[in-house]
RNA sequence: GGGCGCGUAGCUCAGCGGUAGAGCAUCUGCCUUUUAAGCAGAGGGUCGGUGGUUCGAGACCACCCGCGCUCACCA
């Protein structure tokens, strides 16, 4: 049994010995179930001096204070911690067994609620049962509340690498981590509830795709053995969801993982969560208002406010959000009109801004770089950047009145892109031409240019209604609303190099 | 990929050329309302890895591995 544990040390060895001793006493160290009828929060919130309420609770031992024939301990359940009190003269053999239990063990307890001399609401144990023996020492921090009511934590489990690799431990010993993930879940639920209430249908489309598309990104490649073909993990849901609009759904959305084979940093994880929504007979103007309403709904239902602190910024989500034109924003900062400028002028302009310009850099890349350098960092309050150059947007519909532009917007908050949306291109002839232009870019060395998706073209040749489409980066939204600076802190298991 | 930083006991850290340390955790003894419980004692380390410099290396040098921050890339 012990040989299965690689890094045996004395602490672990000791716990195996305790496990054996417990087994010899006839105690089964891994129980099948325990009837719980209360929790730590319920006990503390519904305390009545005059009533010795009986409760059954279960949780993990997080602190033990033994005083000979009596002991105090804290157990932690899903809701928090509560103190328990055990006496040898009351629980006899169970007290002897308790001596073989450790911090980290999961126990079930029955007892009555009381208040100690020092005023802590606790459970006076009448029965204690081991539910799961913990064989590894938990890196428990000590907590104390000072005179001012501030919580001071000593020796907190802080090593980021260990916290990410062993998230289960992180979640046990750092309760605020759990909170963020609960908010993450609530944010997604609020979004789904809103979309459902608006009458849109949640759907699922392929993760494994023979062609990848819908975004500019490098894919992961996998292989199907029986078909003997390479398949790509999707970089976006877009092209499949639009096929469903062709099929006659009036509004479809999907909340799911996308995969992009690119660098990792505090804003990027190789797999990340995206919500994409497509609504027929609507355009990007409608979508801008929809996004404001949806985000406001999420903020209010989950957090009860539209005011958030992010880093040193105060962010207010109150609609309507500011709107600025992509081209005018750049022109205002640099005097450069990126639509009319020649390639050479763009190149010069970029160089002046300190952007590294390689000779292969295409026009689209240059424009994007310039925008990222001069405009993006200033977009702290929610801002719609609207009407993008056509060459940046091969799937968006041409602007109804402005040449060289498409009807597209991105929402920027705290300097990051939070969502991307457009009036979807539904003209199959134009779409084919855009794909062909992408192929030329690919041939010129742009690894992220689109492939031609003949089946998608066939679909819209049947006729796709006018449609508004949206993509929202869920991880970044969660970061923003929880004041987290790294995407790794809102993903349970962020990508890491394998352990040796 | 570049720059900076980190890796010493289960956890948090000190040590920066001369016998591997502290607090918590663990173990033994005492202790029936404690709460960073207390008191007395004990065990615990290939100092991330491999080479090198040196009489002598956690410490200095080189390379490697892993992580963090940051820049680039990634709309």
């Amino acid at each position: 049994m012990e040989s299965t544990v690689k890094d045996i040390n004395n602490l672990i060895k000791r716990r195996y010995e305790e496990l054996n001793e417990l087994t010899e006493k006839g105690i089964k160290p891994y129980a099948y179930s325990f009837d719980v009828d209360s929790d730590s929060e319920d006990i503390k919130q519904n305390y009545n001096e005059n009533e010795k309420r009986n409760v059954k609770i279960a949780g993990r031992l997080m602190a033990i204070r033994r005083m000979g024939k009596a002991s105090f301990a804290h157990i932690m359940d899903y809701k928090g911690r509560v103190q328990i009190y055990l006496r040898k003269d009351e629980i006899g053999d169970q007290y002897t067994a308790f001596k073989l239990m450790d911090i980290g063990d999961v126990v079930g307890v029955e007892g009555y609620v009381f208040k100690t001399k020092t005023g802590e609401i606790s459970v006076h144990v009448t029965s204690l049962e081991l539910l799961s023996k913990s064989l590894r020492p938990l890196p428990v921090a000590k907590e104390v509340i000072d005179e001012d009511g501030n919580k001071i934590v000593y020796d907190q489990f802080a090593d980021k690498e260990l916290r990410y690799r062993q998230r289960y431990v992180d979640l046990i010993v750092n309760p605020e981590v759990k909170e963020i993930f609960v908010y993450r879940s609530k944010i997604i639920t609020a979004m789904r509830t809103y979309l459902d209430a608006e009458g849109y249908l949640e759907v699922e489309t392929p993760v494994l795709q023979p062609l990848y598309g819908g975004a500019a990104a490098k894919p992961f490649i996998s292989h199907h053995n029986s078909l003997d073909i390479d398949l790509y993990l999707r970089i976006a849901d877009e092209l499949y969801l639009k096929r469903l609009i062709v099929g006659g759904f009036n509004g479809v959305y999907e909340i799911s993982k996308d995969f992009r084979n690119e660098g990792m940093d505090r804003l990027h994880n190789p797999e990340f969560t995206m919500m994409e929504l497509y609504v027929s007979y609507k355009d990007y103007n409608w979508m801008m208002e929809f996004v404001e309403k949806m985000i406001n709904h999420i903020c209010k239902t989950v957090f009860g406010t539209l005011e958030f602190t992010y880093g040193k910024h105060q962010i207010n989500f109150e609609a309507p959000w500011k709107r600025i034109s992509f081209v005018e924003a750049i022109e205002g900062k640099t005097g450069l009109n990126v639509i009319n400028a020649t390639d050479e002028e763009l190149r010069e302009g970029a160089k002046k801004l300190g952007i590294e310009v390689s000779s292969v850099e295409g026009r689209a890349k240059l424009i994007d770089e310039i925008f990222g350098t001069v405009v993006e960092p200033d977009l702290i309050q929610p801002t719609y950047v609207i009407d993008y150059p056509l060459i940046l947007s091969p799937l968006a519909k041409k602007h109804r009145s402005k040449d060289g532009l498409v009807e597209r917007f991105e929402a920027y908050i705290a300097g990051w892109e939070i969502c991307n949306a457009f009036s979807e291109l539904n003209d199959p002839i134009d779409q084919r031409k855009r794909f062909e232009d992408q192929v030329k870019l690919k041939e010129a060395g742009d690894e992220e240019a689109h492939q031609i998706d003949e089946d998608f073209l066939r679909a819209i040749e049947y006729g796709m209604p006018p449609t508004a489409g949206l993509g929202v980066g869920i991880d970044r939204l969660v970061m923003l609303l929880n004041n987290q600076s790294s995407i790794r802190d809102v993903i349970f298991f962020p990508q890491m190099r394998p352990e040796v």
Side-chain angles (χ1 to χ4, degrees):
Chain A
M1 164 159 61
E2 296 188 15
S3 62
T4 59
V5 177
K6 261 160 64 185
D7 51 337
I8 285 258
N9 60 41
N10 289 329
L11 297 176
I12 293 176
K13 204 177 269 172
R14 173 65 202 165
R15 289 183 177 222
Y16 272 91
E17 285 163 12
E18 285 170 344
L19 179 85
N20 291 335
E21 283 181 60
L22 285 161
T23 309
E24 280 163 21
K25 286 183 191 300
I27 292 165
K28 294 193 175 70
Y30 297 101
Y32 287 90
S33 65
F34 183 81
D35 284 327
V36 174
D37 68 7
S38 182
D39 60 59
S40 56
E41 192 181 270
D42 166 56
I43 287 168
K44 286 187 265 188
Q45 284 184 354
N46 300 309
Y47 180 71
N48 180 343
E49 298 273 356
N50 308 312
E51 184 199 346
K52 286 195 170 172
R53 186 158 68 105
N54 202 67
V55 292
K56 289 183 206 163
I57 54 169
R60 194 183 291 275
L61 288 167
M62 295 302 284
I64 300 175
R65 292 175 291 281
R66 301 181 204 273
M67 296 167 299
K69 297 181 184 63
S71 296
F72 284 94
H74 272 99
I75 69 175
M76 183 174 72
D77 61 17
Y78 175 68
K79 293 287 183 63
R81 295 182 183 214
V82 66
Q83 182 169 257
I84 59 172
Y85 176 55
L86 311 97
R87 294 169 62 119
K88 185 173 187 179
D89 61 359
E90 291 172 344
I91 58 171
D93 288 349
Q94 289 182 344
Y95 194 85
T96 314
F98 176 69
K99 286 184 177 165
L100 294 168
M101 296 182 202
D102 286 295
I103 287 174
D105 288 0
V106 179
V107 297
V109 149
E110 182 167 4
Y112 56 88
V113 182
F114 77 111
K115 206 178 249 185
T116 63
K117 273 183 191 169
T118 49
E120 180 164 351
I121 297 166
S122 307
V123 176
H124 193 125
V125 174
T126 52
S127 174
L128 169 84
E129 190 181 330
L130 178 62
L131 301 179
S132 182
K133 180 70 189 159
S134 168
L135 295 173
R136 284 178 181 269
L138 212 51
V140 281
K142 294 240 172 181
E143 288 177 17
V144 63
I145 313 289
D146 71 9
E147 317 82 70
D148 304 325
N150 300 314
K151 189 164 83 173
I152 303 170
V153 182
Y154 297 87
D155 298 341
Q156 188 158 34
F157 182 54
D159 185 303
K160 287 214 165 185
E161 176 177 359
L162 284 177
R163 290 179 53 199
Y164 296 145
R165 287 195 192 279
Q166 301 185 37
R167 183 69 90 183
Y168 35 88
V169 175
D170 193 25
L171 288 164
I172 292 169
V173 302
N174 293 322
E176 63 286 354
V177 173
K178 200 182 280 171
E179 257 174 56
I180 290 166
F181 286 99
V182 171
Y183 277 126
R184 180 185 172 112
S185 178
K186 286 181 175 168
I187 287 165
I188 293 171
T189 299
M191 181 178 282
R192 180 174 276 127
T193 305
Y194 188 79
L195 292 168
D196 290 345
E198 292 294 314
Y200 305 128
L201 188 71
E202 182 169 15
V203 297
E204 293 176 277
T205 62
V207 174
L208 293 172
Q209 306 182 346
L211 290 169
Y212 60 93
K218 291 174 218 159
F220 285 90
I221 304 173
S222 189
H223 188 80
H224 190 280
N225 290 340
S226 337
L227 291 175
D228 193 25
I229 52 166
D230 282 343
L231 290 171
Y232 302 98
L233 273 64
R234 67 169 160 218
I235 57 172
D237 309 355
E238 174 153 358
L239 300 181
Y240 281 96
L241 290 171
K242 286 200 277 204
R243 284 169 167 94
L244 296 180
I245 294 295
V246 170
F249 292 106
N250 67 326
V252 290
Y253 74 94
E254 183 164 15
I255 297 174
S256 60
K257 290 278 181 75
D258 287 346
F259 307 85
R260 296 188 185 174
N261 206 339
E262 291 160 353
M264 293 157 53
D265 60 28
R266 66 187 199 86
L267 292 176
H268 300 265
N269 195 62
E271 57 180 286
F272 60 100
T273 304
M274 183 86 107
M275 191 286 285
E276 288 195 34
L277 167 71
Y278 294 84
V279 182
S280 55
Y281 308 112
K282 304 293 187 190
D283 63 12
Y284 80 141
N285 291 309
W286 175 88
M287 189 61 93
M288 277 187 259
E289 286 179 22
F290 183 85
V291 170
E292 285 167 352
K293 282 185 277 185
M294 180 178 72
I295 299 289
N296 279 3
H297 174 263
I298 292 168
C299 293
K300 279 184 193 154
T301 44
V302 178
F303 298 93
T305 178
L306 294 176
E307 302 262 6
F308 290 78
T309 300
Y310 187 82
K312 55 182 191 289
H313 302 300
Q314 286 300 122
I315 296 186
N316 188 339
F317 285 87
E318 185 87 48
W321 299 350
K322 195 178 165 193
R323 299 184 186 188
I324 61 170
S325 141
F326 181 95
V327 175
E328 286 167 19
I330 294 178
E331 199 165 9
K333 292 269 183 181
T334 64
L336 199 62
N337 182 308
V338 296
I339 296 298
N340 300 332
T342 62
D343 284 9
E344 209 35 57
E345 284 166 341
L346 281 179
R347 204 167 289 274
E348 282 309 308
K351 269 187 197 156
K352 254 188 258 170
L353 294 166
I355 297 166
E356 273 183 53
V357 184
S358 71
S359 55
V360 292
E361 211 100 64
R363 188 178 174 85
K365 270 251 155 57
L366 282 171
I367 294 174
D368 204 39
E369 289 282 325
I370 293 170
F371 179 80
T373 305
V374 301
V375 182
E376 246 181 59
D378 294 339
L379 304 179
I380 303 305
Q381 295 306 319
T383 304
Y384 285 130
V385 177
I386 65 171
D387 299 341
Y388 281 64
L390 182 140
I391 53 169
L392 288 178
S393 319
L395 300 167
K397 196 166 186 165
K398 279 178 184 158
H399 198 282
R400 61 197 78 187
S401 61
K402 297 176 186 165
D403 277 352
L405 301 182
V406 292
E407 295 197 351
R408 171 182 176 185
F409 71 86
E410 291 190 351
Y412 278 85
I413 305 173
W416 325 324
E417 179 201 337
I418 283 292
C419 75
N420 182 19
F422 26 90
S423 298
E424 300 294 336
L425 176 52
N426 63 339
D427 172 346
I429 298 161
D430 190 9
Q431 183 66 77
R432 179 174 292 279
K433 186 176 174 306
R434 306 273 196 100
F435 274 144
E436 282 165 357
D437 290 344
Q438 288 288 307
V439 170
K440 281 178 205 151
L441 287 175
K442 204 170 198 86
E443 282 163 358
D446 184 348
E447 288 181 87
E448 298 179 351
H450 277 74
Q451 303 168 295
I452 295 190
D453 188 332
E454 285 293 345
D455 179 67
F456 174 68
L457 286 170
R458 178 167 61 192
I460 63 173
E461 280 164 9
Y462 281 103
M464 181 171 85
T467 299
L470 168 73
V472 180
I474 300 291
D475 309 279
R476 288 187 187 179
L477 183 63
V478 174
M479 287 169 68
L480 203 60
L481 299 182
N482 284 289
N483 196 16
Q484 294 298 306
S485 61
S486 172
I487 197 169
R488 294 188 186 94
D489 294 320
V490 301
I491 292 176
F492 275 128
F493 304 102
Q495 196 55 243
M496 304 282 277
R497 278 200 171 75
E499 284 181 86
V500 242

